[in-house]
Each structure stands twice: as structure tokens, then as C-alpha cells.
Amino acid sequence: GGTVPRPRRDDWEAAAVWQRKVTGIKELFMRYPIWSTFTYLMNRRGLPGHYTPRPRLALDAATERNLAQEPIVEQLYAPAPAEV
């Protein structure tokens, strides 16, 4: 969560971190229903609404719990570390 700092040019370590995040999200969309998962992620981010074309198929409670426990989801919604 929070504001994302802009990486410096040639910061390959930061690029690798972001690439792992993007890959993790892509893998979520491959394992879970893409539109329902996207809606869940946006709603959890505080952006209400349905991001699903009709018919709108919501995730059931068990799938939502499993999704919330995915490492990439926990990472995306973990509180940002305090700046020193």
C-alpha cells in the first residue's frame, strides 16, 4: 500500500522486485476468475464497484479467503514500512 517511490535509472534490483510483483499478479489471474479477482483487489484497495462484465460472478467466501491468503495479495496490502 501507499505511494510507490520512482526507481532510479539502472536500478536493476528494484526492477526485479517490481517484475516479481507483476508476475505474481499475473499468476493470480491465471488461478482465479480474472474479473472477479480484479474486482476483489480494487474493492480491497478502496475503489468500490463492479469491474466484472455481466453476468457478474462474485467470488464465494472460501475463494475470497484463499485469495486474501495468497502471498502476493498479502504483500500488496501489507502496511508500508514507516520512513526513517
Side-chain angles (χ1 to χ4, degrees):
T3 304
V4 178
R6 184 176 180 181
R8 291 187 309 249
R9 181 180 210 121
D10 296 329
D11 187 350
W12 298 111
E13 187 175 321
V17 168
W18 280 103
Q19 184 59 52
R20 283 191 295 276
K21 288 180 184 180
V22 169
T23 299
I25 294 167
K26 177 198 69 140
E27 289 172 355
L28 274 183
F29 291 147
M30 293 172 70
R31 286 196 311 272
Y32 293 91
I34 188 168
W35 294 112
S36 302
T37 299
F38 186 75
T39 294
Y40 169 82
L41 295 172
M42 293 296 100
N43 291 175
R44 185 162 171 188
R45 186 77 178 160
L47 301 168
H50 298 282
Y51 299 88
T52 309
R54 292 175 199 251
R56 293 186 177 129
L57 303 173
L59 299 174
D60 62 45
T63 302
E64 213 171 272
R65 273 192 309 277
N66 290 338
L67 182 59
Q69 294 173 354
E70 288 283 345
I72 187 64
V73 174
E74 289 178 340
Q75 182 183 5
L76 289 171
Y77 294 103
E83 300 226 1
V84 181

